[in-house]
Amino acid sequence: MNGYIIWPKGDMRLYTCRVYKTLQEASDVAQERADFHHRPYEVRAVNETTQRIIKTIEPRRRK
């Protein structure tokens, strides 16, 4: 199974999560959640790779 999931950074709880087909789609959703919850989210690879966490999305600063 290939794909990407998003996860709150540093959170170790279990979640039911959606698998996104593209990195762009996962990044967009992670940015929305990071902005809404005011905390960083990670985009992770579903399959076992040497680099499981692909990128960390930080919430945008409000003006």
Side-chain angles (χ1 to χ4, degrees):
M1 175 180 217
N2 292 334
Y4 303 93
I5 59 173
I6 58 174
W7 206 270
K9 183 177 180 180
D11 200 337
M12 302 308 258
R13 291 180 281 176
L14 291 177
Y15 289 93
T16 301
C17 56
R18 179 174 171 202
V19 176
Y20 299 93
K21 291 182 181 181
T22 66
L23 179 58
Q24 184 62 48
E25 182 183 17
S27 296
D28 292 344
V29 173
Q31 186 67 63
E32 289 175 16
R33 289 200 184 163
D35 292 344
F36 182 77
H37 294 287
H38 309 291
R39 65 183 290 190
Y41 272 73
E42 296 171 340
V43 176
R44 298 180 178 183
V46 171
N47 55 347
E48 292 298 324
T49 63
T50 56
Q51 183 182 0
R52 183 141 169 102
I53 298 172
I54 305 300
K55 66 188 335 186
T56 300
I57 307 291
E58 297 288 334
R60 290 182 269 220
R61 301 211 185 271
R62 293 183 182 209
K63 294 182 180 180

